[in-house]
Amino acid sequence: DVKVTQSSRYLVKRTGEKVFLECVQDMDHENMFWYRQDPGLGLRLIYFSYDVKMKEKGDIPEGYSVSREKKERFSLILESASTNQTSMYLCASSLGLAGGPSYEQYFGPGTRLTVT
Amino acid sequence: AQSVTQPDIHITVSEGASLELRCNYSYGATPYLFWYVQSPGQGLQLLLKYFSGDTLVQGIKGFEAEFKRSQSSFNLRKPSVHWSDAAEYFCAVGAWGGATNKLIFGTGTLLAVQP
């Protein structure tokens, strides 16, 4: 079974703090994704990565950055947390293009971040 | 641009009743379609997917979905709902992200089950 784990289930941070959210997958997937989930808005893609050190902006990258130094690990960074970044953050992974058309994503349990 | 619409934000059904959750997509070519379920406080779990072939696909937990190209729909169904089906359901369509494949999600339908 694919396993995607996230470093924290719940996190409380103060405005202005630098926040790191970590995601690890154990299936050697090329692609990794960060989403935020808010009521009524569904899942919105923040950033994704298709290889080590490679990243692409999603639909809402402002205020976030990412890092992928190892294939299995994808970090989301909030450089200076703000209250409007209070949300559920979900990480996912999927196979890369070499295996043919593959869109299926496997999700971690999520991190509920509260910024006060 | 590709998009997914789930017109129902909340649905309440009685336990044992049938269920249909609606999903409409906008995509130029033959779509890759997915339904995911999210139980409270959890991540998303894949229920079923459609890539090609038979337009009626079976998934886990007794769910099925039917792809109708003429209606651009991929509705999720279950003949008899159980209390444990209370969750949020997301429809998604596969899309090209510029460097790799990605998913575009609908806004979700929250299902409540009455005893």
Side-chain angles (χ1 to χ4, degrees):
Chain A
D1 266 0
V2 177
K3 192 90 172 175
V4 179
T5 56
Q6 296 183 228
S7 49
S8 306
R9 293 299 304 273
Y10 300 93
L11 209 51
V12 180
K13 296 292 182 180
R14 294 198 180 275
T15 301
E17 277 192 84
K18 190 168 187 175
V19 181
F20 293 86
L21 303 182
E22 277 225 318
C23 175
V24 177
Q25 51 95 4
D26 67 357
M27 279 301 292
D28 204 35
H29 283 171
E30 286 77 15
N31 299 329
M32 296 188 75
F33 305 83
W34 275 107
Y35 297 90
R36 67 175 281 175
Q37 181 181 12
D38 300 288
L41 298 178
L43 275 72
R44 293 180 291 168
L45 183 62
I46 304 172
Y47 267 97
F48 63 97
S49 168
Y50 54 95
D51 202 347
V52 175
K53 297 189 187 295
M54 306 305 289
K55 62 186 178 186
E56 289 282 339
K57 293 180 180 178
D59 301 315
I60 53 163
E62 296 80 18
Y64 303 93
S65 61
V66 290
S67 172
R68 194 166 180 201
E69 297 297 318
K70 293 186 177 182
K71 190 175 185 179
E72 68 272 17
R73 194 177 299 267
F74 191 36
S75 300
L76 179 70
I77 303 154
L78 287 65
E79 296 289 344
S80 177
S82 65
T83 55
N84 62 13
Q85 292 179 308
T86 291
S87 187
M88 171 73 101
Y89 290 88
L90 292 167
C91 175
S93 70
S94 71
L95 285 169
L97 297 175
S102 177
Y103 298 83
E104 182 175 341
Q105 294 183 16
Y106 298 83
F107 283 81
T111 295
R112 185 162 296 281
L113 172 67
T114 302
V115 183
T116 62
Chain B
Q2 302 94 337
S3 66
V4 175
T5 301
Q6 292 181 249
D8 304 307
I9 299 173
H10 291 101
I11 282 185
T12 300
V13 300
S14 298
E15 192 168 14
S18 64
L19 171 70
E20 183 168 28
L21 301 182
R22 295 184 291 165
C23 173
N24 292 98
Y25 67 89
S26 171
Y27 191 71
T30 300
Y32 291 71
L33 294 162
F34 302 80
W35 274 101
Y36 282 84
V37 61
Q38 184 182 33
S39 298
Q42 303 296 316
L44 274 68
Q45 180 184 20
L46 181 68
L47 278 178
L48 48 79
K49 58 189 175 186
Y50 171 78
F51 283 178
S52 64
D54 193 348
T55 56
L56 185 63
V57 293
Q58 303 296 321
I60 62 171
K61 306 184 185 208
F63 284 91
E64 66 179 25
E66 186 170 13
F67 170 59
K68 292 186 177 180
R69 183 188 301 275
S70 61
Q71 297 176 21
S72 298
S73 69
F74 188 56
N75 294 348
L76 183 71
R77 300 195 294 245
K78 186 169 185 178
S80 178
V81 169
H82 187 261
W83 63 266
S84 60
D85 294 323
E88 191 157 21
Y89 292 81
F90 292 93
C91 182
V93 65
W96 176 241
T100 192
N101 298 324
K102 66 177 185 179
L103 291 176
I104 296 174
F105 287 87
T107 51
T109 297
L110 188 61
L111 174 66
V113 180
Q114 285 181 336

